[in-house]
Amino acid sequence: MQTVLDKALSAFPRADLLQGPTPIQRACRLEQQLGLHEQQVQLYIKRDDHMLIGGGGNKLRKLEFHLGAALQDGIDTIITVGGIQSNHARLTAAVCARQGIDCELILSRAVPKREADYELNGNRLLDHLFGARVHVLPQGKDAQVQAEIRAAQLRAAGRKPLVIPTGGSTPVGSLGYARCAAEITRQETELDVQFTQVMIANGSAGTHAGLAAGFELLGRGAATVRSWSVLTDRDTAAARTLQLTRQTLALLGSSAALRTDAIDIDASQLGEGYGLPTPAMLEAVQLMARCEGLLLDPVYSGKAFAGLLGDLRQGRYRSGDSVLFVMTGGTPGLYAYRDTFIAR
Ligand SMILES: Cc1ncc(COP(=O)(O)O)c(C=O)c1O
């Protein structure tokens, strides 16, 4: 049956990069390890790290809608921005390679790390393999401004560039996660479960905003989503997420008035800042790897899962609750953080 959300989404051009839903798996060994059986709380994982292009990750869902619009407009170059180890930049490069579109990445030094692995391994290595043209900015230069300057140069040379901002987190990009809310809802029926909450990492806010807008339109409420900020303090993340959720709802034709408290964000896992490891992240990445054989990442999903572990250990959920953690990818980042995981 077509929902209001399905109908609203069908109005937007989308390039099919996922080719079907990502799996949802129950984390039985983690449930055992955390004593969730006794509490009768179930833990499920949505494998948005498991996709068919570029190593996978949440950015592909946003890129489906960015690329759909770009192809309709006859774009020949995509320029995007991010940190040195940006997963969004890597996936944009992979998608452009597959589509035969030129890709330029404007990368900035957002994290005080200078190890060779950080500078050249992980996502940086893959950007190179996917054939993107990479510009690494000197400290202090604004990547978005540089991207616009580069786009103007290309336009002057007769090209048709598109600039996608940080993380692809515009209302158009967030449609990808509104669509994911519909996908999760269909999978709930197949699995005969209804998730109490859906948990994710929050960086540039598009993933949270898209899911929140989707669940709001489906009548479940935006507060179905809970995220952990890995980039800014709680108030800044909440304000950005609320604004983007409202913009995404408006784009989908909804006039729903979203209350401030519908956005559930926790910043307790940020630690000393974006991209800086914390002991809780380290424990979370190891626990997931050793109990489930699955890979989180050190910057986003590792910190978010550390937050969820905290919630579960503090008994936030009640008997009969089922929670869904969305694994958003980013595993190439593990290779950039070798020193964090293996002490020399
Ligand atoms: C692996 C991974 N997970 C989560 C996020 C957070 O997504 P968003 O930027 O939409 O908040 C990102 C963003 O770069 C990411 O790369």
Side-chain angles (χ1 to χ4, degrees):
M1 200 188 68
Q2 208 191 32
T3 63
V4 182
L5 176 57
D6 295 331
K7 192 159 179 285
L9 285 167
S10 66
F12 297 90
R14 180 177 68 87
D16 185 8
L17 302 174
L18 265 68
Q19 296 171 18
T22 58
I24 292 182
Q25 302 169 329
R26 193 157 161 199
C28 295
R29 286 247 305 133
L30 271 171
E31 285 181 3
Q32 243 171 26
Q33 180 79 18
L34 298 168
L36 299 180
H37 280 310
E38 292 87 82
Q39 298 169 35
Q40 309 223 322
V41 171
Q42 295 186 349
L43 174 60
Y44 289 81
I45 293 171
K46 183 154 176 69
R47 300 290 311 281
D48 267 16
D49 60 317
H50 180 78
M51 293 178 182
L52 298 178
I53 303 173
N58 63 336
K59 299 306 184 278
L60 285 181
R61 289 193 188 268
K62 300 180 190 177
L63 283 165
E64 283 199 324
F65 285 91
H66 284 298
L67 188 64
L71 293 176
Q72 206 172 54
D73 294 345
I75 291 301
D76 60 26
T77 307
I78 292 183
I79 304 172
T80 199
V81 298
I84 295 270
Q85 284 295 331
S86 166
N87 297 301
H88 164 68
R90 179 246 313 167
L91 284 167
T92 304
V95 165
C96 286
R98 195 170 169 88
Q99 210 65 43
I101 294 177
D102 284 355
C103 181
E104 300 207 15
L105 306 176
I106 316 280
L107 305 183
S108 52
R109 291 202 154 85
V111 178
K113 278 176 75 64
R114 296 286 176 274
E115 299 89 346
D117 279 327
Y118 193 81
E119 293 272 321
L120 295 170
N121 206 339
N123 285 298
R124 260 314 290 286
L125 168 67
L126 301 184
D127 297 342
H128 174 72
L129 283 180
F130 293 132
R133 180 164 177 187
V134 177
H135 312 258
V136 178
L137 292 183
Q139 197 94 33
K141 283 225 166 179
D142 185 308
Q144 186 64 28
V145 170
Q146 295 306 312
E148 298 296 350
I149 292 172
R150 182 66 189 141
Q153 285 170 352
L154 289 170
R155 263 182 230 113
R159 308 294 305 271
K160 240 187 145 194
L162 168 73
V163 176
I164 301 181
T166 310
S169 287
T170 63
V172 167
S174 298
L175 294 176
Y177 269 92
R179 192 167 179 274
C180 183
E183 182 176 308
I184 290 170
T185 305
R186 275 190 292 275
Q187 287 174 304
E188 286 180 323
T189 309
E190 285 159 24
L191 293 166
D192 194 21
V193 62
Q194 182 159 38
F195 299 116
T196 315
Q197 269 198 311
V198 176
M199 271 64 121
I200 42 157
N202 191 325
S204 58
T207 304
H208 187 143
L211 283 170
F215 284 121
E216 186 69 22
L217 265 184
L218 287 168
R220 300 261 297 261
T224 306
V225 189
R226 173 165 166 78
S227 71
W228 280 270
S229 175
V230 300
L231 186 63
T232 62
D233 62 84
R234 206 209 77 87
D235 288 353
T236 309
R240 163 101 182 111
T241 307
L242 180 65
Q243 185 193 31
L244 193 50
T245 308
R246 285 180 170 154
Q247 289 169 336
T248 308
L249 279 167
L251 186 63
L252 286 164
S254 162
S255 53
L258 200 65
R259 287 174 36 164
T260 315
D261 61 7
I263 299 298
D264 183 352
I265 298 186
D266 183 313
S268 63
Q269 299 302 317
L270 179 59
E272 285 178 18
Y274 174 71
L276 297 176
T278 60
M281 176 282 289
L282 198 62
E283 191 237 349
V285 171
Q286 284 176 349
L287 192 66
M288 181 70 90
R290 291 170 192 188
C291 286
E292 299 290 341
L294 299 179
L295 298 173
L296 293 166
D297 82 283
V299 179
Y300 298 94
S301 56
K303 285 187 175 177
F305 193 63
L308 175 53
L309 285 176
D311 279 356
L312 292 169
R313 285 170 175 151
Q314 285 159 27
R316 179 184 168 98
Y317 295 100
R318 296 199 211 112
S319 169
D321 282 350
S322 295
V323 294
L324 180 69
F325 181 72
V326 183
M327 284 188 59
T328 42
T331 50
L334 289 171
Y335 305 102
Y337 282 76
R338 182 173 56 123
D339 292 5
T340 302
F341 293 99
I342 297 185
R344 271 190 271 181

